[in-house]
Amino acid sequence: MNYQKEKTLAQSRAKVIKALGHPTRIFMVALLSEKERSVGELTEIAGADVSTISKHLSILTQQGILTFRKEGNRVLYNLICPCIMQFIHCIDDVIYKDAQRGLSCILPDLKIPENTQANNPSE
Amino acid sequence: MNYQKEKTLAQSRAKVIKALGHPTRIFMVALLSEKERSVGELTEIAGADVSTISKHLSILTQQGILTFRKEGNRVLYNLICPCIMQFIHCIDDVIYKDAQRGLSCILPDLKIPENTQANNPSE
DNA sequence: ACTCTATTTGGCTAATTTGCCAAATTACCA
DNA sequence: TGGTAATTTGGCAAATTAGCCAAATAGAGT
């Protein structure tokens, strides 16, 4: 593994991931995975100021996650890369596995691999 | 689609994604996808203060992305969910598609779907 | 108990990110 | 040309995050 190259890659990757790492933004990505929507629709569903939504959309677009097209008055946004949903499922998997570990504290019989409970190495 | 439920999900998802959305953190995840490593090793490769690395690792662990085990003096970190690499490939796909669009400005003949060039709806 | 190495924690400042308001822009229509 | 709806931009205050130093903690060996 070429550390230097991997480090550079990490810079680019982090930018894209960071764009997705906001509740409202990942929510809108999920909404757009269903179908194209206008800023207005997204604003109403997400429930925030239009200007805020617009800025979120611009961040996602800058990172190559969304596209838009104009139709009359309105701007319609679209998901570019369908693999994003696969991405989301991977995240859900992490959340699910984490919940399992959480549960196992209450129901220890489920038996989970050791040292996977918490985050504090001291103890 | 149940917006309310999806909105709640978005909260959880964003936490995990945010944890991954930092150059050093996603770099370490890539490193750990190869093999288990100690804080010291990661610190040397990543090139930052140990305390900084330790905090990054704790963030990733809190979000259920990493585990650790202790061996003597050292703490060895591990990737929990192998699907994270799949996740990274998805991001790389976004980056790749974006680069293609960038190129196409220079080499317009490549022919790309319309309205996918930039991020500024005005114009 | 003392020392050495590895790692985590506290604390503090600097940098970045959010979200809202007000103002500007764009497209359409009368 | 004026008006209206949709969207973006500027700008600012509040909140969050990052990264470094110093100090604390943990494990092994002497």
Side-chain angles (χ1 to χ4, degrees):
Chain A
M1 185 180 236
N2 180 338
Y3 297 152
Q4 213 44 57
K5 186 176 167 188
E6 201 67 26
K7 213 171 199 168
T8 309
L9 247 179
Q11 305 277 341
S12 315
R13 285 168 176 163
K15 277 189 205 162
V16 177
I17 299 171
K18 201 183 289 187
L20 292 164
H22 183 286
T24 304
R25 292 198 291 262
I26 195 71
F27 179 43
M28 293 196 298
V29 165
L31 290 174
L32 291 172
S33 76
E34 264 197 347
K35 64 166 193 260
E36 182 177 62
R37 292 178 202 261
S38 71
V39 179
E41 289 178 74
L42 291 169
T43 299
E44 182 168 12
I45 300 175
D49 193 279
V50 206
S51 72
T52 301
I53 296 297
S54 176
K55 277 176 188 169
H56 282 314
L57 289 169
S58 142
I59 289 169
L60 290 166
T61 306
Q62 268 175 47
Q63 293 312 320
I65 297 158
L66 303 182
T67 355
F68 57 83
R69 69 192 181 85
K70 296 181 154 198
E71 193 173 282
N73 229 357
R74 305 179 311 149
V75 178
L76 300 170
Y77 279 85
N78 259 294
L79 201 51
I80 289 183
C81 184
C83 81
I84 288 284
M85 285 322 288
Q86 199 180 323
F87 168 102
I88 288 185
H89 291 143
C90 169
I91 296 300
D92 288 347
D93 200 29
V94 171
I95 295 172
Y96 175 70
K97 284 215 174 69
D98 202 44
Q100 267 187 317
R101 268 194 307 286
L103 267 183
S104 72
C105 297
I106 304 170
L107 303 169
D109 298 323
L110 282 182
K111 185 87 152 314
I112 51 162
E114 46 177 3
N115 280 317
T116 49
Q117 270 80 1
N119 78 89
N120 183 356
S122 336
E123 180 10 61
Chain B
M1 185 180 239
N2 180 339
Y3 297 151
Q4 213 43 56
K5 186 176 167 187
E6 201 67 26
K7 212 172 199 167
T8 309
L9 247 178
Q11 305 278 342
S12 315
R13 286 169 175 163
K15 278 189 205 163
V16 177
I17 299 171
K18 202 184 289 186
L20 291 164
H22 184 286
T24 304
R25 291 199 290 262
I26 196 70
F27 179 42
M28 294 197 296
V29 166
L31 290 174
L32 291 171
S33 76
E34 262 198 346
K35 64 166 195 261
E36 182 177 61
R37 293 179 202 259
S38 71
V39 180
E41 289 179 75
L42 291 169
T43 299
E44 183 167 11
I45 300 175
D49 193 278
V50 204
S51 71
T52 300
I53 296 297
S54 176
K55 277 176 188 170
H56 281 315
L57 289 169
S58 144
I59 288 170
L60 289 166
T61 307
Q62 268 175 47
Q63 293 312 320
I65 297 157
L66 303 182
T67 358
F68 57 83
R69 70 192 180 86
K70 295 181 154 199
E71 194 173 281
N73 230 356
R74 306 179 309 150
V75 178
L76 300 170
Y77 279 86
N78 259 294
L79 202 51
I80 289 183
C81 185
C83 81
I84 289 283
M85 286 321 289
Q86 199 181 322
F87 168 102
I88 288 184
H89 292 142
C90 169
I91 296 300
D92 288 349
D93 200 29
V94 172
I95 294 172
Y96 175 70
K97 284 215 175 72
D98 203 43
Q100 267 187 318
R101 268 193 307 285
L103 266 184
S104 72
C105 297
I106 304 170
L107 303 168
D109 299 324
L110 282 182
K111 184 85 154 314
I112 52 163
E114 45 178 3
N115 279 317
T116 51
Q117 270 80 359
N119 78 89
N120 184 358
S122 336
E123 175 8 57

